């Protein structure tokens, strides 16, 4: 990592995410960890997505995460008949409220985490999933509430 990125907002966020996941999995008995950014608001059935995600991660080694976000369900797609009960698969890391297992975290990320990814921790994750995929809902179960910040969308 170039020295110019160390200490940048992206590097600090990356360090925070890595530490949060490390500490979550250091908790005795923790098999899964869910990361929810502080400016996200969750739908009432938010945890249903992750209950299904746990079951899928347990039985499908080609998955590494479950996410509450769908990048493609915005205003431009309002005429599409999105289903509340449907999950989809993607090779792209959706982020924005996501969960992984301790097993996948240790195999894919814990030892190789980039201290200062030049384009953000989520971009780094997308490039290092070992070909595994994520499940996500057709209808997002989170939304951003903040209007500013270092990487707000």
């Amino acid at each position: 990592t170039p020295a110019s990125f160390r200490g940048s907002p992206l590097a600090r966020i990356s360090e925070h995410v890595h530490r949060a996941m490390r500490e979550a999995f250091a908790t005795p008995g923790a098999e899964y960890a869910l990361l929810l950014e502080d400016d996200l608001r969750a739908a009432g059935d938010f945890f249903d997505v992750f209950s299904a995600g746990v079951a899928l991660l347990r039985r499908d080694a080609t998955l590494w995460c479950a996410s509450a976000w769908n990048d493609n369900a915005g205003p431009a797609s309002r005429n599409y008949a999105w289903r509340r009960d449907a999950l989809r698969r993607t090779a792209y890391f959706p982020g924005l409220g996501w969960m992984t297992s301790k097993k996948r975290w240790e195999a894919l990320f814990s030892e190789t985490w980039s201290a200062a990814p030049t384009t953000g921790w989520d971009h780094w994750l997308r490039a290092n999933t070992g070909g595994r995929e994520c499940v996500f809902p057709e209808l997002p179960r989170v939304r951003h509430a903040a209007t500013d910040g270092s990487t707000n969308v």
Side-chain angles (χ1 to χ4, degrees):
T1 302
S4 62
F5 288 97
R6 290 190 184 101
S8 70
L10 290 176
R12 289 194 308 271
I13 293 168
S14 178
E15 290 165 7
H16 180 78
V17 169
H18 187 236
R19 181 175 180 185
M21 296 302 284
R22 242 186 14 247
E23 289 186 12
F25 288 129
T27 302
E31 291 182 56
Y32 296 87
L34 193 157
L35 189 116
L36 184 66
E37 293 91 350
D38 64 353
D39 70 328
L40 293 180
R41 300 299 176 258
D45 61 350
F46 172 82
F47 289 108
D48 294 343
V49 170
F50 296 104
S51 292
V54 165
L56 292 168
L57 283 167
R58 281 189 176 145
R59 70 174 185 249
D60 188 342
T62 67
L63 292 172
W64 78 268
C65 82
S67 173
W69 181 247
N70 179 350
D71 283 306
N72 298 308
S77 65
R78 79 177 112 242
N79 294 326
Y80 183 78
W82 298 108
R83 297 174 300 165
R84 293 190 66 79
D85 63 343
L87 294 176
R88 296 195 173 263
R89 293 177 71 112
T90 182
Y92 180 83
F93 171 55
L96 300 183
W98 60 279
M99 174 195 73
T100 193
S101 68
K102 183 176 185 176
K103 180 179 176 181
R104 301 296 194 295
W105 175 259
E106 289 177 346
L108 297 170
F109 309 118
S110 75
E111 298 301 319
T112 59
W113 190 266
S114 177
T118 56
T119 60
W121 65 270
D122 50 343
H123 295 190
W124 182 86
L125 271 179
R126 289 180 187 112
N128 291 280
T129 63
R132 289 179 176 84
E133 297 181 328
C134 293
V135 293
F136 66 96
E138 279 196 359
L139 283 174
R141 298 311 201 279
V142 292
R143 67 176 176 82
H144 273 286
T147 58
D148 60 357
S150 65
T151 59
N152 193 57
V153 292

